[in-house]
C-alpha cells in the first residue's frame, strides 16, 4: 500500500508532467480549477488548485473532501502511483471503477487530452 508521502510525490510528478505538455494537452493543463484527490485506502484527501499548468497542493486532511472541488479524483494510493508511473491506463482503471473523476462535462473533455 502506497504511503501518504508516496502519493504526495506522485501528485508532484503528475504536476511536473502536466507542465511539460504541449498542444491540446497543454491547453487542458492550463485550466484554473480547484482540485481534490481522495486516497481511498488511506482515507486522506489532498486539496489544492490546478493553475498555470501545475497542481499546487495546499493542504492534506483526513477523510473525504470537505468541500466539492471543481475537479475531484478518488482512487487507491497504489493506483495513483501506478497511473503516474505509466503502469496503469487511466481509461481502463476508470472503466473498472478503480478511479473516480468528477468534473463538469466541458472539463472532462479537456482533461481527457491529459489522461
Amino acid at each position: 500500500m502506497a504511503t501518504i508521502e508516496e502519493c504526495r510525490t506522485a501528485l508532484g510528478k503528475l504536476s511536473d508532467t502536466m507542465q511539460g505538455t504541449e498542444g491540446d494537452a497543454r491547453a487542458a493543463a492550463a485550466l484554473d480549477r480547484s482540485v481534490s484527490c481522495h486516497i481511498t485506502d488511506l482515507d486522506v484527501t489532498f486539496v489544492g488548485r490546478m493553475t498555470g499548468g501545475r497542481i499546487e497542493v495546499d493542504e492534506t486532511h483526513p477523510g473525504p473532501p470537505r468541500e466539492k472541488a471543481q475537479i475531484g479524483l478518488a482512487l487507491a494510493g497504489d493506483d495513483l502511483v501506478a497511473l503516474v508511473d505509466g503502469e496503469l491506463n487511466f481509461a481502463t482503471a476508470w472503466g473498472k471503477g478503480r478511479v473516480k473523476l468528477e468534473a463538469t462535462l466541458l472539463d472532462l473533455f479537456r482533461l481527457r487530452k491529459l489522461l
Side-chain angles (χ1 to χ4, degrees):
M1 178 166 52
T3 66
I4 291 174
E5 283 309 311
E6 288 170 324
C7 293
R8 183 183 306 278
T9 299
L11 286 172
K13 196 173 179 181
L14 175 61
S15 183
D16 291 344
T17 300
M18 286 172 49
Q19 187 144 24
T21 60
E22 296 182 10
D24 289 342
R26 179 74 178 154
L31 291 172
D32 184 12
R33 302 286 188 269
S34 61
V35 296
S36 68
C37 181
H38 182 224
I39 308 301
T40 55
D41 56 334
L42 299 175
D43 198 24
V44 66
T45 299
F46 295 93
V47 179
R49 189 143 202 98
M50 178 188 290
T51 185
R54 296 194 57 79
I55 298 172
E56 302 293 335
V57 175
D58 297 327
E59 66 179 84
T60 305
H61 62 79
R66 295 176 182 162
E67 296 178 16
K68 184 174 175 141
Q70 290 169 303
I71 298 173
L73 189 65
L75 69 168
D78 287 343
D79 288 340
L80 173 63
V81 172
L83 281 169
V84 172
D85 287 345
E87 298 169 3
L88 179 62
N89 178 279
F90 179 84
T92 302
W94 179 72
K96 291 182 178 182
R98 292 172 60 179
V99 175
K100 292 185 172 82
L101 177 64
E102 291 184 8
T104 65
L105 188 58
L106 183 57
D107 284 348
L108 288 172
F109 282 124
R110 290 178 181 154
L111 289 170
R112 72 182 167 89
K113 294 172 183 156
L114 283 173
L115 306 170

PDB file of all heavy atoms in Angstrom, residues 81-107:
ATOM      1  N   VAL A  81      -0.101   6.012  -7.830  1.00  0.00           N
ATOM      2  CA  VAL A  81       1.327   5.829  -8.154  1.00  0.00           C
ATOM      3  C   VAL A  81       1.476   5.115  -9.495  1.00  0.00           C
ATOM      4  O   VAL A  81       2.276   5.522 -10.347  1.00  0.00           O
ATOM      5  CB  VAL A  81       2.049   5.073  -7.014  1.00  0.00           C
ATOM      6  CG1 VAL A  81       3.461   4.695  -7.413  1.00  0.00           C
ATOM      7  CG2 VAL A  81       2.058   5.925  -5.741  1.00  0.00           C
ATOM      8  N   ALA A  82       0.692   4.059  -9.721  1.00  0.00           N
ATOM      9  CA  ALA A  82       0.775   3.302 -10.978  1.00  0.00           C
ATOM     10  C   ALA A  82       0.350   4.155 -12.179  1.00  0.00           C
ATOM     11  O   ALA A  82       0.964   4.074 -13.245  1.00  0.00           O
ATOM     12  CB  ALA A  82      -0.079   2.036 -10.885  1.00  0.00           C
ATOM     13  N   LEU A  83      -0.684   4.976 -12.024  1.00  0.00           N
ATOM     14  CA  LEU A  83      -1.114   5.862 -13.109  1.00  0.00           C
ATOM     15  C   LEU A  83      -0.009   6.835 -13.488  1.00  0.00           C
ATOM     16  O   LEU A  83       0.308   7.006 -14.665  1.00  0.00           O
ATOM     17  CB  LEU A  83      -2.369   6.649 -12.704  1.00  0.00           C
ATOM     18  CG  LEU A  83      -3.688   5.935 -12.784  1.00  0.00           C
ATOM     19  CD1 LEU A  83      -4.782   6.757 -12.099  1.00  0.00           C
ATOM     20  CD2 LEU A  83      -4.075   5.661 -14.227  1.00  0.00           C
ATOM     21  N   VAL A  84       0.563   7.471 -12.491  1.00  0.00           N
ATOM     22  CA  VAL A  84       1.601   8.475 -12.743  1.00  0.00           C
ATOM     23  C   VAL A  84       2.852   7.830 -13.331  1.00  0.00           C
ATOM     24  O   VAL A  84       3.504   8.414 -14.191  1.00  0.00           O
ATOM     25  CB  VAL A  84       1.915   9.257 -11.451  1.00  0.00           C
ATOM     26  CG1 VAL A  84       3.110  10.166 -11.637  1.00  0.00           C
ATOM     27  CG2 VAL A  84       0.695  10.070 -11.021  1.00  0.00           C
ATOM     28  N   ASP A  85       3.162   6.622 -12.905  1.00  0.00           N
ATOM     29  CA  ASP A  85       4.343   5.917 -13.424  1.00  0.00           C
ATOM     30  C   ASP A  85       4.102   5.265 -14.784  1.00  0.00           C
ATOM     31  O   ASP A  85       5.001   4.649 -15.344  1.00  0.00           O
ATOM     32  CB  ASP A  85       4.816   4.857 -12.425  1.00  0.00           C
ATOM     33  CG  ASP A  85       5.478   5.473 -11.205  1.00  0.00           C
ATOM     34  OD1 ASP A  85       5.838   6.676 -11.248  1.00  0.00           O
ATOM     35  OD2 ASP A  85       5.631   4.764 -10.187  1.00  0.00           O
ATOM     36  N   GLY A  86       2.864   5.365 -15.291  1.00  0.00           N
ATOM     37  CA  GLY A  86       2.554   4.791 -16.597  1.00  0.00           C
ATOM     38  C   GLY A  86       2.304   3.296 -16.581  1.00  0.00           C
ATOM     39  O   GLY A  86       2.252   2.650 -17.620  1.00  0.00           O
ATOM     40  N   GLU A  87       2.111   2.729 -15.399  1.00  0.00           N
ATOM     41  CA  GLU A  87       1.881   1.292 -15.266  1.00  0.00           C
ATOM     42  C   GLU A  87       0.395   0.933 -15.282  1.00  0.00           C
ATOM     43  O   GLU A  87       0.039  -0.242 -15.344  1.00  0.00           O
ATOM     44  CB  GLU A  87       2.513   0.790 -13.960  1.00  0.00           C
ATOM     45  CG  GLU A  87       4.008   0.978 -13.921  1.00  0.00           C
ATOM     46  CD  GLU A  87       4.595   0.729 -12.549  1.00  0.00           C
ATOM     47  OE1 GLU A  87       3.845   0.340 -11.621  1.00  0.00           O
ATOM     48  OE2 GLU A  87       5.803   0.948 -12.393  1.00  0.00           O
ATOM     49  N   LEU A  88      -0.466   1.944 -15.197  1.00  0.00           N
ATOM     50  CA  LEU A  88      -1.908   1.727 -15.192  1.00  0.00           C
ATOM     51  C   LEU A  88      -2.535   2.722 -16.159  1.00  0.00           C
ATOM     52  O   LEU A  88      -2.267   3.921 -16.084  1.00  0.00           O
ATOM     53  CB  LEU A  88      -2.471   1.936 -13.774  1.00  0.00           C
ATOM     54  CG  LEU A  88      -3.970   1.766 -13.575  1.00  0.00           C
ATOM     55  CD1 LEU A  88      -4.422   0.343 -13.892  1.00  0.00           C
ATOM     56  CD2 LEU A  88      -4.350   2.122 -12.132  1.00  0.00           C
ATOM     57  N   ASN A  89      -3.352   2.226 -17.057  1.00  0.00           N
ATOM     58  CA  ASN A  89      -4.037   3.059 -18.033  1.00  0.00           C
ATOM     59  C   ASN A  89      -5.248   3.703 -17.372  1.00  0.00           C
ATOM     60  O   ASN A  89      -6.076   3.010 -16.772  1.00  0.00           O
ATOM     61  CB  ASN A  89      -4.450   2.202 -19.233  1.00  0.00           C
ATOM     62  CG  ASN A  89      -5.205   2.983 -20.264  1.00  0.00           C
ATOM     63  OD1 ASN A  89      -6.405   3.211 -20.123  1.00  0.00           O
ATOM     64  ND2 ASN A  89      -4.509   3.394 -21.306  1.00  0.00           N
ATOM     65  N   PHE A  90      -5.367   5.035 -17.515  1.00  0.00           N
ATOM     66  CA  PHE A  90      -6.465   5.743 -16.869  1.00  0.00           C
ATOM     67  C   PHE A  90      -7.821   5.241 -17.338  1.00  0.00           C
ATOM     68  O   PHE A  90      -8.706   4.978 -16.527  1.00  0.00           O
ATOM     69  CB  PHE A  90      -6.365   7.257 -17.107  1.00  0.00           C
ATOM     70  CG  PHE A  90      -7.495   7.992 -16.459  1.00  0.00           C
ATOM     71  CD1 PHE A  90      -7.432   8.338 -15.123  1.00  0.00           C
ATOM     72  CD2 PHE A  90      -8.649   8.298 -17.163  1.00  0.00           C
ATOM     73  CE1 PHE A  90      -8.490   8.987 -14.502  1.00  0.00           C
ATOM     74  CE2 PHE A  90      -9.714   8.953 -16.553  1.00  0.00           C
ATOM     75  CZ  PHE A  90      -9.625   9.298 -15.225  1.00  0.00           C
ATOM     76  N   ALA A  91      -8.014   5.116 -18.642  1.00  0.00           N
ATOM     77  CA  ALA A  91      -9.311   4.710 -19.186  1.00  0.00           C
ATOM     78  C   ALA A  91      -9.718   3.330 -18.669  1.00  0.00           C
ATOM     79  O   ALA A  91     -10.876   3.111 -18.302  1.00  0.00           O
ATOM     80  CB  ALA A  91      -9.284   4.720 -20.710  1.00  0.00           C
ATOM     81  N   THR A  92      -8.774   2.416 -18.621  1.00  0.00           N
ATOM     82  CA  THR A  92      -9.052   1.073 -18.111  1.00  0.00           C
ATOM     83  C   THR A  92      -9.430   1.125 -16.636  1.00  0.00           C
ATOM     84  O   THR A  92     -10.408   0.510 -16.208  1.00  0.00           O
ATOM     85  CB  THR A  92      -7.831   0.151 -18.316  1.00  0.00           C
ATOM     86  OG1 THR A  92      -7.519   0.112 -19.707  1.00  0.00           O
ATOM     87  CG2 THR A  92      -8.093  -1.247 -17.800  1.00  0.00           C
ATOM     88  N   ALA A  93      -8.649   1.870 -15.849  1.00  0.00           N
ATOM     89  CA  ALA A  93      -8.908   1.974 -14.412  1.00  0.00           C
ATOM     90  C   ALA A  93     -10.251   2.657 -14.151  1.00  0.00           C
ATOM     91  O   ALA A  93     -11.014   2.237 -13.277  1.00  0.00           O
ATOM     92  CB  ALA A  93      -7.782   2.744 -13.730  1.00  0.00           C
ATOM     93  N   TRP A  94     -10.557   3.685 -14.932  1.00  0.00           N
ATOM     94  CA  TRP A  94     -11.826   4.391 -14.780  1.00  0.00           C
ATOM     95  C   TRP A  94     -12.984   3.473 -15.158  1.00  0.00           C
ATOM     96  O   TRP A  94     -13.993   3.405 -14.466  1.00  0.00           O
ATOM     97  CB  TRP A  94     -11.815   5.656 -15.645  1.00  0.00           C
ATOM     98  CG  TRP A  94     -13.066   6.450 -15.579  1.00  0.00           C
ATOM     99  CD1 TRP A  94     -13.519   7.201 -14.535  1.00  0.00           C
ATOM    100  CD2 TRP A  94     -14.047   6.560 -16.610  1.00  0.00           C
ATOM    101  NE1 TRP A  94     -14.727   7.784 -14.872  1.00  0.00           N
ATOM    102  CE2 TRP A  94     -15.068   7.409 -16.131  1.00  0.00           C
ATOM    103  CE3 TRP A  94     -14.152   6.037 -17.893  1.00  0.00           C
ATOM    104  CZ2 TRP A  94     -16.182   7.734 -16.900  1.00  0.00           C
ATOM    105  CZ3 TRP A  94     -15.259   6.370 -18.650  1.00  0.00           C
ATOM    106  CH2 TRP A  94     -16.259   7.206 -18.146  1.00  0.00           C
ATOM    107  N   GLY A  95     -12.829   2.735 -16.250  1.00  0.00           N
ATOM    108  CA  GLY A  95     -13.871   1.817 -16.708  1.00  0.00           C
ATOM    109  C   GLY A  95     -14.158   0.708 -15.713  1.00  0.00           C
ATOM    110  O   GLY A  95     -15.291   0.219 -15.620  1.00  0.00           O
ATOM    111  N   LYS A  96     -13.151   0.294 -14.955  1.00  0.00           N
ATOM    112  CA  LYS A  96     -13.320  -0.763 -13.956  1.00  0.00           C
ATOM    113  C   LYS A  96     -13.722  -0.215 -12.585  1.00  0.00           C
ATOM    114  O   LYS A  96     -13.861  -0.975 -11.637  1.00  0.00           O
ATOM    115  CB  LYS A  96     -12.025  -1.561 -13.820  1.00  0.00           C
ATOM    116  CG  LYS A  96     -11.713  -2.390 -15.047  1.00  0.00           C
ATOM    117  CD  LYS A  96     -10.456  -3.204 -14.842  1.00  0.00           C
ATOM    118  CE  LYS A  96     -10.193  -4.076 -16.071  1.00  0.00           C
ATOM    119  NZ  LYS A  96      -9.010  -4.912 -15.894  1.00  0.00           N
ATOM    120  N   GLY A  97     -13.889   1.107 -12.492  1.00  0.00           N
ATOM    121  CA  GLY A  97     -14.303   1.709 -11.230  1.00  0.00           C
ATOM    122  C   GLY A  97     -13.189   1.901 -10.220  1.00  0.00           C
ATOM    123  O   GLY A  97     -13.451   2.241  -9.068  1.00  0.00           O
ATOM    124  N   ARG A  98     -11.962   1.720 -10.636  1.00  0.00           N
ATOM    125  CA  ARG A  98     -10.831   1.900  -9.720  1.00  0.00           C
ATOM    126  C   ARG A  98     -10.490   3.373  -9.525  1.00  0.00           C
ATOM    127  O   ARG A  98      -9.878   3.741  -8.526  1.00  0.00           O
ATOM    128  CB  ARG A  98      -9.602   1.152 -10.233  1.00  0.00           C
ATOM    129  CG  ARG A  98      -9.769  -0.349 -10.176  1.00  0.00           C
ATOM    130  CD  ARG A  98      -8.670  -1.105 -10.847  1.00  0.00           C
ATOM    131  NE  ARG A  98      -7.360  -0.859 -10.289  1.00  0.00           N
ATOM    132  CZ  ARG A  98      -6.252  -1.445 -10.734  1.00  0.00           C
ATOM    133  NH1 ARG A  98      -6.317  -2.303 -11.740  1.00  0.00           N
ATOM    134  NH2 ARG A  98      -5.100  -1.179 -10.185  1.00  0.00           N
ATOM    135  N   VAL A  99     -10.895   4.185 -10.474  1.00  0.00           N
ATOM    136  CA  VAL A  99     -10.661   5.631 -10.426  1.00  0.00           C
ATOM    137  C   VAL A  99     -11.991   6.329 -10.646  1.00  0.00           C
ATOM    138  O   VAL A  99     -12.741   5.971 -11.555  1.00  0.00           O
ATOM    139  CB  VAL A  99      -9.668   6.071 -11.533  1.00  0.00           C
ATOM    140  CG1 VAL A  99      -9.516   7.571 -11.555  1.00  0.00           C
ATOM    141  CG2 VAL A  99      -8.322   5.394 -11.360  1.00  0.00           C
ATOM    142  N   LYS A 100     -12.260   7.311  -9.808  1.00  0.00           N
ATOM    143  CA  LYS A 100     -13.457   8.131  -9.989  1.00  0.00           C
ATOM    144  C   LYS A 100     -12.999   9.559 -10.240  1.00  0.00           C
ATOM    145  O   LYS A 100     -12.149  10.083  -9.529  1.00  0.00           O
ATOM    146  CB  LYS A 100     -14.332   8.060  -8.747  1.00  0.00           C
ATOM    147  CG  LYS A 100     -14.934   6.686  -8.557  1.00  0.00           C
ATOM    148  CD  LYS A 100     -15.897   6.675  -7.388  1.00  0.00           C
ATOM    149  CE  LYS A 100     -16.642   5.382  -7.317  1.00  0.00           C
ATOM    150  NZ  LYS A 100     -15.973   4.303  -6.691  1.00  0.00           N
ATOM    151  N   LEU A 101     -13.559  10.164 -11.282  1.00  0.00           N
ATOM    152  CA  LEU A 101     -13.232  11.532 -11.659  1.00  0.00           C
ATOM    153  C   LEU A 101     -14.522  12.321 -11.755  1.00  0.00           C
ATOM    154  O   LEU A 101     -15.443  11.910 -12.467  1.00  0.00           O
ATOM    155  CB  LEU A 101     -12.492  11.548 -13.000  1.00  0.00           C
ATOM    156  CG  LEU A 101     -12.133  12.908 -13.577  1.00  0.00           C
ATOM    157  CD1 LEU A 101     -11.148  13.647 -12.663  1.00  0.00           C
ATOM    158  CD2 LEU A 101     -11.542  12.742 -14.964  1.00  0.00           C
ATOM    159  N   GLU A 102     -14.607  13.416 -11.028  1.00  0.00           N
ATOM    160  CA  GLU A 102     -15.779  14.284 -11.075  1.00  0.00           C
ATOM    161  C   GLU A 102     -15.353  15.645 -11.582  1.00  0.00           C
ATOM    162  O   GLU A 102     -14.405  16.248 -11.062  1.00  0.00           O
ATOM    163  CB  GLU A 102     -16.399  14.429  -9.686  1.00  0.00           C
ATOM    164  CG  GLU A 102     -17.034  13.168  -9.169  1.00  0.00           C
ATOM    165  CD  GLU A 102     -17.726  13.380  -7.829  1.00  0.00           C
ATOM    166  OE1 GLU A 102     -17.837  14.538  -7.370  1.00  0.00           O
ATOM    167  OE2 GLU A 102     -18.157  12.385  -7.245  1.00  0.00           O
ATOM    168  N   ALA A 103     -16.034  16.113 -12.609  1.00  0.00           N
ATOM    169  CA  ALA A 103     -15.765  17.423 -13.194  1.00  0.00           C
ATOM    170  C   ALA A 103     -16.944  17.767 -14.096  1.00  0.00           C
ATOM    171  O   ALA A 103     -17.777  16.907 -14.403  1.00  0.00           O
ATOM    172  CB  ALA A 103     -14.466  17.398 -13.995  1.00  0.00           C
ATOM    173  N   THR A 104     -16.993  19.007 -14.548  1.00  0.00           N
ATOM    174  CA  THR A 104     -18.032  19.366 -15.499  1.00  0.00           C
ATOM    175  C   THR A 104     -17.763  18.641 -16.811  1.00  0.00           C
ATOM    176  O   THR A 104     -16.643  18.195 -17.072  1.00  0.00           O
ATOM    177  CB  THR A 104     -18.055  20.885 -15.767  1.00  0.00           C
ATOM    178  OG1 THR A 104     -16.836  21.257 -16.419  1.00  0.00           O
ATOM    179  CG2 THR A 104     -18.257  21.676 -14.485  1.00  0.00           C
ATOM    180  N   LEU A 105     -18.773  18.534 -17.629  1.00  0.00           N
ATOM    181  CA  LEU A 105     -18.622  17.857 -18.911  1.00  0.00           C
ATOM    182  C   LEU A 105     -17.537  18.527 -19.759  1.00  0.00           C
ATOM    183  O   LEU A 105     -16.700  17.849 -20.360  1.00  0.00           O
ATOM    184  CB  LEU A 105     -19.960  17.841 -19.656  1.00  0.00           C
ATOM    185  CG  LEU A 105     -20.020  17.006 -20.918  1.00  0.00           C
ATOM    186  CD1 LEU A 105     -19.663  15.555 -20.639  1.00  0.00           C
ATOM    187  CD2 LEU A 105     -21.405  17.086 -21.539  1.00  0.00           C
ATOM    188  N   LEU A 106     -17.516  19.836 -19.785  1.00  0.00           N
ATOM    189  CA  LEU A 106     -16.501  20.561 -20.550  1.00  0.00           C
ATOM    190  C   LEU A 106     -15.095  20.267 -20.018  1.00  0.00           C
ATOM    191  O   LEU A 106     -14.171  20.020 -20.801  1.00  0.00           O
ATOM    192  CB  LEU A 106     -16.785  22.070 -20.521  1.00  0.00           C
ATOM    193  CG  LEU A 106     -15.852  22.941 -21.344  1.00  0.00           C
ATOM    194  CD1 LEU A 106     -15.837  22.523 -22.803  1.00  0.00           C
ATOM    195  CD2 LEU A 106     -16.246  24.403 -21.213  1.00  0.00           C
ATOM    196  N   ASP A 107     -14.935  20.255 -18.700  1.00  0.00           N
ATOM    197  CA  ASP A 107     -13.627  19.940 -18.118  1.00  0.00           C
ATOM    198  C   ASP A 107     -13.220  18.498 -18.407  1.00  0.00           C
ATOM    199  O   ASP A 107     -12.048  18.209 -18.650  1.00  0.00           O
ATOM    200  CB  ASP A 107     -13.619  20.200 -16.619  1.00  0.00           C
ATOM    201  CG  ASP A 107     -13.537  21.684 -16.286  1.00  0.00           C
ATOM    202  OD1 ASP A 107     -13.255  22.491 -17.200  1.00  0.00           O
ATOM    203  OD2 ASP A 107     -13.765  22.037 -15.111  1.00  0.00           O
TER     204      ASP A 107
END
